[in-house]
Amino acid sequence: GSDVGVEGDVSIDEDNAEDDLLGGLRIDDTSDITVPDRLVDQVIGQEAAREIVKRAAKQHRHVMMIGSPGTGKSLLAKAMSRLLPKESLQDVLVYHNPDDSNEPKVRTVPAGKGEQIVDAHKEEARKRNQMRSFLMWIMILLAVGYALLIATPARPLLALLSAAGIYLLFRYTNRGSDAMVPKLLINNADRQVAPFEDATGAHAGAMLGDVRHDPFQSGGMATPSHERVEAGSIQKANKGVLFIDEINTLDVRSQQKLMTAIQEGEFSITGQSERSSGAMVQTEAVPCDFIMVAAGNMDAMENMHPALRSRIKGYGYEVYMDDTIEDTPDMRRKYARFVAQEVEKDGNLPHFAPDAIRELILEAKRRAGRKDSLTLKLRDLGGLVRVAGDIARSEGHDLTQRSDVLEAKKRSRSIEQQFVDNYIQRRKDYELGTTSEEAVGRVNGLAVMGGDSGIMLPVMAEITPAQSQEEGRIYATGQLKEMAEEAVENVSAIIKKFSDENMSEKDTHIQFVQAGEGGVDGDSASITVATAVISALEDIPVAQELAMTGSLSVRGDVLPVGGVTHKIEAAAKAGCERVIIPKANEDDVMIEDEYEEQIEIIPVTHISEVLDVALVGEPEKDSLVDRLKSITGKALDSASDS
Ligand code: ADP
C-alpha cells in the first residue's frame, strides 16, 4: 500500500521498522516492489529540486541545479521533459533558396507533417525525373536517327556524339530538380514525449547546429547547401529540455550564443569551423524554444557567464541538490525501491534478496559520512548494484545475495582507493610505514582522498633554535603549509602555558610524507601536527601503532572532522592498533565488521587526552599531561587577558 511509501506486493512490519535496515519492509526480493511509471516519482530524496522541476515545467521556466555529481541532476532534467506537453512539438524543414543558395529557408510545421511534405516533394521529383528521362530517350533516338540519315562516312561517330551530348546535358541539369526536395532537419513524427537533449561537453557545432563542409564547393558536383545543414542540441531541444552539466566548462562564446538563443527563442544555423565552406551558409532562424536546465557544482557558478546566470535567475529557479538525506524507516524503504529501479533499468540483473538490500543500505549510511544519514550520491550506489548483480549472475545465483554485494564492494573500488592501496603496498615494500614502536616528533596522521578513500600520512616535526633574531619561524613542506602554520600557532598558545620552552626562540620544521598530488584535506591534521610539535619540543616519543585525526581549537579542544570512517579503515589497513578520533565524530563511525576487531577507536575531547594516549615514557609524559590538563579553556582565557 502507499502508506508503506513503496508500491507493490509489500507489507510493513511496524514493530521492527526503526531497527531494520529495510525499514520493516517485508518482501521476498526486489521484484515485489513496483517501480513508479513517472520518472519524476523515481527520484529519491531531492524534495526541493523535485518540486521546482514540477513547477518550472508547468510555468516553462529555466532551472539551475547546483550539487555533487551523481545526485540526480540529469535524471530530474529528463523527468522534467516528460512533464511537458507533447502536443506542441514541431517538425523543421530546410529548403533550397533559389535567390541565394547560401541562405536556405526554414519552415516549421506540426509534428508528423514534415515527413509527408518531404515525401510529396520526393514523389514530385521522381515524376519529374521520369518525365525527363523519357524526354531524353526520345531526343536521343531522334538525334541518332537524324545523324544516321546524313550522307557522310562519319555517320556512326556523329550519332554517338549527339547521343552522348544529350545524355550529359540531361545529367547536369538534373541536379537542379533534386535541390527542390527540402531536408527534414527535425523529425518529431514518432516522438512520444517532449525532447530531452543532453549537451554536456558538446562542442559548438553539436550544440548550436552546423553546416557541413563541401569539398566540391565549386563545380557541378556540389551538394546543395540546405542538405548540409545539421541541427544542434538547442534546435533539437525545441519545446523540450536542454540539459547542460558542468556549464562553466562551456566556452564563453558558446555561452553568449546560448544566451541569444534563449532570448530569441530561435537561432539560425551556420558552419562553425571558419575555414569550412559551411561557414558561408547561414539558414533562416530555426526555432529553439527550450527550457534550459543548467547544472554544476559550487565552483561552476563562479566561472559561469554572469549574464547567462542572471538570465536563468531572472526567468527561472536555482536549486541545491542534497548530498545526504535523513535516515528514516520510510527513506530506507525508498532505497529498497531504488535497488528495484536500478535492477529494472539494467534489465539483466537478478533481483536482490532482502539481506543484499540491507547491505546496500548500510553502504549508503557509510558513504553518507555523517550520523543518521544516507548518501544521495546514487550514481555510485547504482554502480554497486550493477556490479553486485553481475557477480550474482556469473555465480549463477537466482537472487543477488548479501555475499555478492560484499564482493562487489571489494571490486568496485574508486581510482582513489586503488591508488591508496597501491601506495600502502609500495610503502610497505620500502618499509616506510610504521617500523619502530615509538619515535620522537613523528605522528601518523589520517586524511581522505577523493571523498571516499582514507590514507595514513605521517607528519614529522623537528625543533631547532631560531635562525632569526626576532622570532621563531615555521617551516612546512608540501601543500599543507598554511594548515601547519595555523596548527602550530594554535598549539603554541597552549605550549606557552605549560612549557618552559619558548616557541618564539625556536624554528619549527614540519614535514608531511606526501601521498602524491592533491586531494588531501588539511584541517583534520591539526592535532597530528600539534602532537608532533609537542613531542619534538619536549623530546618525548610518540607511539607508532597509533594514528589520529582531529581538528584543534586554540583552547586545546579537539573538534570534529570529516571522513572518519574512511580514515579509521585506512589506519587499520596500514596496521595500526589504535586510532584517536574527535568524540564529536563518534556517531559517524560506520566501519566494516572486519576492521572492528583490528583496531581500537579512542574518542577524545581535549589535546591532553591525545597526548595521554599518544606519548610514551611514563614520568615525563605524566607530568606533561598533568600540566596540560590544568589548562582548561578558562585558564587560557585568563592567560590571554593578563
Ligand atoms: P547527475 O546528473 O547529478 O550527475 P544523474 O542524474 O546522471 O546524476 O544520476 C545518474 C544515475 O544515478 C541516475 O540515472 C539514477 O539511476 C541514479 N540516481 C542519481 N540520483 C538519483 C536520485 N536522487 N534518485 C534516484 N536515482 C538517482
Side-chain angles (χ1 to χ4, degrees):
S2 56
D3 52 330
V4 180
V6 174
E7 305 273 330
D9 187 9
V10 299
S11 64
I12 180 171
D13 176 1
E14 290 287 357
D15 299 336
N16 290 317
E18 283 293 334
D19 301 327
D20 181 13
L21 273 171
L22 265 184
L25 193 66
R26 281 207 184 131
I27 48 168
D28 292 331
D29 58 74
T30 42
S31 68
D32 290 342
I33 300 174
T34 308
V35 173
D37 291 334
R38 291 201 315 172
L39 213 47
V40 69
D41 297 325
Q42 291 182 14
V43 178
I44 312 277
Q46 312 298 8
E47 204 59 50
R50 219 166 38 184
E51 282 314 307
I52 278 182
V53 156
K54 285 188 198 164
R55 203 176 329 150
K58 219 176 273 168
Q59 303 171 344
H60 207 81
R61 297 289 173 84
H62 306 296
V63 179
M64 178 96 207
M65 291 177 184
I66 302 160
S68 306
T71 50
K73 297 188 288 295
S74 106
L75 181 67
L76 270 163
K78 198 171 191 174
M80 186 174 181
S81 71
R82 304 277 173 90
L83 298 174
L84 296 173
K86 109 173 235 275
E87 298 81 62
S88 56
L89 294 183
Q90 299 169 325
D91 288 343
V92 178
L93 297 152
V94 195
Y95 288 80
H96 169 69
N97 181 350
D99 297 333
D100 184 349
S101 67
N102 280 336
E103 264 180 56
K105 289 180 177 299
V106 171
R107 295 288 173 270
T108 306
V109 294
K113 270 269 183 317
E115 268 177 355
Q116 295 171 13
I117 292 173
V118 170
D119 286 348
H121 274 276
K122 277 191 185 149
E123 180 59 21
E124 209 175 293
R126 199 182 58 80
K127 277 194 192 138
R128 211 166 31 226
N129 277 346
Q130 249 174 8
M131 196 59 182
R132 285 168 65 90
S133 56
F134 178 69
L135 271 177
M136 180 180 81
W137 285 113
I138 296 277
M139 282 179 75
I140 287 176
L141 276 178
L142 284 176
V144 167
Y146 186 69
L148 289 177
L149 285 179
I150 294 171
T152 154
R155 268 187 307 204
L157 189 66
L158 202 62
L160 205 67
L161 276 178
S162 50
I166 292 167
Y167 177 77
L168 286 178
L169 189 76
F170 269 84
R171 269 231 58 152
Y172 252 90
T173 50
N174 205 7
R175 308 216 128 252
S177 72
D178 279 346
M180 300 309 289
V181 179
K183 173 170 177 164
L184 185 49
L185 190 65
I186 308 264
N187 184 2
N188 281 324
D190 299 323
R191 187 174 273 291
Q192 299 308 319
V193 289
F196 168 75
E197 283 293 319
D198 187 344
T200 304
H203 56 89
M207 182 155 98
L208 305 168
D210 210 345
V211 181
R212 285 200 319 273
H213 178 64
D214 181 10
F216 305 112
Q217 173 63 14
S218 48
M221 306 268 284
T223 310
S225 59
H226 78 279
E227 277 180 19
R228 292 185 277 127
V229 174
E230 308 279 347
S233 303
I234 61 167
Q235 292 96 6
K236 289 184 199 161
N238 186 34
K239 304 291 176 194
V241 169
L242 180 74
F243 176 68
I244 306 179
D245 202 352
E246 296 163 24
I247 180 86
N248 56 309
T249 62
L250 196 65
D251 61 284
V252 175
R253 207 172 133 260
S254 295
Q255 290 197 40
Q256 268 160 349
K257 299 237 163 121
L258 190 60
M259 200 156 62
T260 312
I262 291 174
Q263 274 164 357
E264 310 286 328
E266 52 179 31
F267 199 83
S268 69
I269 298 177
T270 183
Q272 294 293 334
S273 47
E274 266 162 37
R275 270 168 308 185
S276 135
S277 62
M280 295 177 1
V281 179
Q282 180 162 33
T283 68
E284 288 179 351
V286 180
C288 61
D289 176 24
F290 54 80
I291 293 178
M292 170 145 119
V293 179
N297 54 24
M298 263 317 233
D299 301 345
M301 299 311 100
E302 280 168 24
N303 296 321
M304 189 176 168
H305 196 296
L308 182 58
R309 171 140 194 226
S310 68
R311 184 85 208 167
I312 299 178
K313 238 183 178 166
Y315 296 85
Y317 300 99
E318 286 189 312
V319 65
Y320 288 91
M321 303 293 286
D322 296 322
D323 278 347
T324 59
I325 189 153
E326 199 191 337
D327 176 17
T328 62
D330 186 52
M331 204 32 82
R332 291 177 183 183
R333 296 194 286 270
K334 292 232 168 66
Y335 272 63
R337 194 195 74 204
F338 168 73
V339 178
Q341 280 170 200
E342 296 292 305
V343 169
E344 181 161 295
K345 197 159 71 178
D346 185 276
N348 272 320
L349 308 174
H351 274 283
F352 276 53
D355 268 348
I357 309 173
R358 287 194 180 93
E359 193 59 43
L360 268 165
I361 292 174
L362 186 64
E363 183 64 15
K365 274 172 79 73
R366 278 167 36 81
R367 289 188 182 184
R370 30 194 290 211
K371 66 174 172 180
D372 300 329
S373 304
L374 296 163
T375 184
L376 276 172
K377 291 183 179 159
L378 289 175
R379 180 191 290 150
D380 294 347
L381 208 65
L384 196 59
V385 169
R386 276 183 290 284
V387 176
D390 280 341
I391 291 171
R393 205 176 35 166
S394 67
E395 297 280 315
H397 297 165
D398 290 342
L399 289 178
T400 306
Q401 307 289 344
R402 176 166 179 266
S403 59
D404 300 322
V405 177
L406 290 174
E407 180 63 27
K409 276 207 293 193
K410 250 187 237 157
R411 283 198 211 167
S412 64
R413 291 170 311 162
S414 66
I415 298 290
E416 285 86 359
Q417 276 168 306
Q418 293 178 34
F419 170 81
V420 166
D421 288 353
N422 197 304
Y423 177 74
I424 290 170
Q425 191 52 47
R426 241 183 11 238
R427 240 181 13 189
K428 273 190 187 139
D429 292 347
Y430 291 103
E431 295 198 36
L432 276 165
T434 46
T435 48
S436 51
E437 280 173 12
E438 50 184 73
V440 171
R442 184 188 189 282
V443 181
N444 292 316
L446 294 166
V448 171
M449 292 178 69
D452 65 350
S453 312
I455 186 165
M456 195 163 94
L457 289 181
V459 172
M460 293 194 258
E462 205 169 316
I463 310 287
T464 59
Q467 284 184 343
S468 136
Q469 296 281 298
E470 304 93 58
E471 49 164 12
R473 294 229 171 96
I474 298 154
Y475 299 91
T477 59
Q479 76 231 104
L480 299 182
K481 189 170 163 55
E482 260 175 45
M483 183 277 305
E485 282 170 358
E486 208 180 300
V488 174
E489 224 154 76
N490 283 2
V491 81
S492 59
I494 299 163
I495 290 170
K496 228 188 252 163
K497 289 316 299 169
F498 76 85
S499 176
D500 308 328
E501 308 282 351
N502 187 348
M503 289 296 281
S504 64
E505 292 167 4
K506 309 279 182 192
D507 281 345
T508 310
H509 303 260
I510 294 168
Q511 189 198 342
F512 293 89
V513 179
Q514 287 283 26
E517 288 307 307
V520 177
D521 61 340
D523 186 46
S524 62
S526 56
I527 63 164
T528 318
V529 173
T531 307
V533 169
I534 291 176
S535 160
L537 193 66
E538 300 284 324
D539 200 23
I540 305 176
V542 177
Q544 296 296 301
E545 43 62 48
L546 174 86
M548 62 177 72
T549 180
S551 184
L552 186 67
S553 80
V554 259
R555 298 164 163 227
D557 298 317
V558 177
L559 306 175
V561 294
V564 276
T565 299
H566 300 298
K567 287 174 178 171
I568 295 171
E569 289 180 357
K573 265 194 225 168
C576 289
E577 288 157 25
R578 298 180 298 161
V579 57
I580 292 176
I581 64 162
K583 181 141 179 77
N585 283 123
E586 221 178 344
D587 289 328
D588 303 336
V589 177
M590 275 167 288
I591 61 172
E592 283 170 14
D593 300 347
E594 56 178 298
Y595 295 117
E596 250 164 47
E597 293 117 44
Q598 278 183 34
I599 195 157
E600 182 193 352
I601 299 167
I602 307 169
V604 300
T605 57
H606 193 261
I607 184 74
S608 60
E609 294 165 66
V610 175
L611 296 173
D612 198 5
V613 172
L615 299 181
V616 226
E618 291 307 328
E620 298 91 341
K621 175 186 121 175
D622 286 351
S623 86
L624 177 73
V625 171
D626 282 348
R627 274 180 285 159
L628 258 177
K629 274 186 188 152
S630 67
I631 311 168
T632 60
K634 276 244 156 56
L636 271 176
D637 279 347
S638 54
S640 50
D641 287 348
S642 63

